[in-house]
Amino acid sequence: MKRLRHQGFFKFKPEITPDQVAAVWRTMEAFQREIPGILEFTWGTDASTEGLSDGFTHSWCMTFENVAARDAYLPHPVHQAAVQFVVPKLERFIVIDHEFAVR
């Protein structure tokens, strides 16, 4: 069986306040409750000491049951509303997915 990891990296615009950042995470944390197929959601600030973040300050990771669950999530109205709320607060972002085998 394969699962899918959906990972993102955010660099918020300089004018975005800590309260606005917190609102982004509250919005994204709701995905697991409101969208089927999301097994886990975590997020955090960059804790690396390597200095390789290229200006990205926050990251997040979702684990989906499978590719089909991710595919259903992308157009889901809750996700699309979040995109409209979150993206204007970002200077840069990257999203990348990979499948992995459940052992």
Side-chain angles (χ1 to χ4, degrees):
M1 172 188 305
K2 287 192 175 183
R3 302 271 194 232
L4 184 120
R5 289 257 163 78
H6 184 61
Q7 301 171 118
F9 305 89
F10 286 173
K11 179 179 181 182
F12 287 92
K13 292 179 179 176
E15 66 271 18
I16 300 304
T17 67
D19 286 344
Q20 290 172 306
V21 172
V24 164
W25 300 127
R26 282 192 306 275
T27 298
M28 293 180 69
E29 287 169 344
F31 291 164
Q32 192 172 356
R33 292 186 306 274
E34 299 182 32
I35 303 173
I38 300 173
L39 302 176
E40 181 181 45
F41 173 75
T42 62
W43 66 269
T45 57
D46 178 29
S48 176
T49 58
E50 295 178 289
L52 301 174
S53 66
D54 194 28
F56 290 94
T57 56
H58 296 74
S59 65
W60 52 266
C61 184
M62 284 183 219
T63 303
F64 285 91
E65 289 177 354
N66 50 40
V67 170
R70 186 271 323 269
D71 292 347
Y73 150 86
L74 291 172
H76 193 285
V78 170
H79 174 246
Q80 288 303 306
V83 167
Q84 297 302 312
F85 178 72
V86 173
V87 170
K89 294 169 180 55
L90 303 176
E91 186 172 307
R92 296 174 57 207
F93 65 96
I94 296 171
V95 177
I96 190 168
D97 299 349
H98 69 268
E99 285 185 280
F100 65 99
V102 176
R103 301 181 201 270

